[in-house]
Amino acid sequence: MDKTQIKIMNAAMELVISKGYSAMTTKDIAKNAGVNESTLFRRFKGKKDIVVQAMKLEDWNPCLKEEDFIETGDVYIDLVSFAHTYMERVTPKMVQVSIGLRSPDLYDATSLGIMEVPNTLKKVLLRYFSKRLKEGKIGNSNIEGMSMQFISMIFGFVFLKASFEDRLSPLSKDEYIQSSIRIFVQGIQ
């Protein structure tokens, strides 16, 4: 990938956030990237190809891996760490772009890529809660339910911050993580 391609992909993703996928045109992308539209078509098949390729870039993909989530065995410490890891990578900018990538004319090409992030965390949580249940550190045996509640709790905060910044709640990320994980852990033990 060359610098021009990256510039075009970044310009497209910025437009997905500001305008939405359906409303943006290849002319808009070229203008935003500072290139001719013909340059865009020499490097990509069209706007869908640009967006799908851009989803692989670090600026637009949190690139979460299961090994990013470190375990100590202490439920509270681990879940706080998991939440921090997720929220450091899944930024409000990434949430905003993922919303734009749900456009009906694009969703078939992007849905699997979007779902990779929560699926990675879900795999980690399923394995983690299963281990802690066997050790007797948690009492709730609904591993699927706990995993989905945790994902929803963490993603919900990022989504609301991406949508409303501090207008809905002044809670910082750290305050939210500590208080919500404390309540969550009390509920599963």
Side-chain angles (χ1 to χ4, degrees):
M1 229 174 279
D2 64 35
K3 288 179 184 180
T4 301
Q5 286 173 303
I6 292 170
K7 190 163 50 166
I8 291 167
M9 289 186 280
N10 286 334
M13 295 305 250
E14 289 166 6
L15 287 168
V16 166
I17 292 171
S18 65
K19 255 185 140 162
Y21 176 79
S22 297
M24 75 179 191
T25 65
T26 54
K27 283 184 174 96
D28 294 330
I29 297 168
K31 181 179 177 184
N32 198 34
V35 300
N36 291 323
E37 194 174 9
S38 59
T39 302
L40 185 148
F41 283 110
R42 278 196 299 273
R43 289 177 163 79
F44 299 97
K45 296 174 189 167
K47 74 177 187 175
K48 187 181 217 175
D49 183 40
I50 297 168
V51 169
V52 170
Q53 295 301 318
M55 287 178 65
K56 299 171 188 169
L57 296 177
E58 269 189 51
D59 284 350
W60 306 105
N61 186 328
C63 304
L64 279 175
K65 296 175 201 70
E66 291 181 49
E67 54 269 15
D68 294 333
F69 298 93
I70 309 300
E71 298 179 23
T72 67
D74 181 292
V75 177
Y76 176 77
I77 290 171
D78 291 343
L79 294 180
V80 165
S81 173
F82 291 178
H84 274 289
T85 297
Y86 184 88
M87 289 177 153
E88 284 170 11
R89 299 276 192 81
V90 181
T91 64
K93 178 177 90 168
M94 288 182 182
V95 171
Q96 291 168 336
V97 83
S98 78
I99 292 167
L101 296 176
R102 287 170 169 73
S103 173
D105 48 341
L106 183 64
Y107 192 69
D108 285 345
T110 60
S111 62
L112 290 177
I114 294 168
M115 242 175 29
E116 280 179 29
V117 175
N119 267 336
T120 298
L121 179 56
K122 184 179 176 190
K123 287 177 193 174
V124 168
L125 291 169
L126 289 171
R127 187 177 56 250
Y128 183 79
F129 289 139
S130 182
K131 284 184 200 174
R132 301 298 85 86
L133 183 63
K134 287 176 187 168
E135 295 168 352
K137 290 187 176 183
I138 60 173
N140 188 335
S141 62
N142 184 350
I143 306 296
E144 177 78 17
M146 286 188 295
S147 299
M148 292 308 296
Q149 287 170 349
F150 186 86
I151 291 168
S152 298
M153 178 176 68
I154 299 306
F155 177 78
F157 184 80
V158 176
F159 178 85
L160 292 171
K161 283 294 185 183
S163 300
F164 307 113
E165 296 168 343
D166 289 334
R167 295 187 308 267
L168 182 63
S169 173
L171 275 178
S172 72
K173 177 176 69 172
D174 290 335
E175 290 172 313
Y176 176 77
I177 288 172
Q178 290 173 10
S179 65
S180 63
I181 300 300
R182 190 173 299 107
I183 293 166
F184 183 83
V185 169
Q186 287 171 358
I188 65 171
Q189 288 184 321

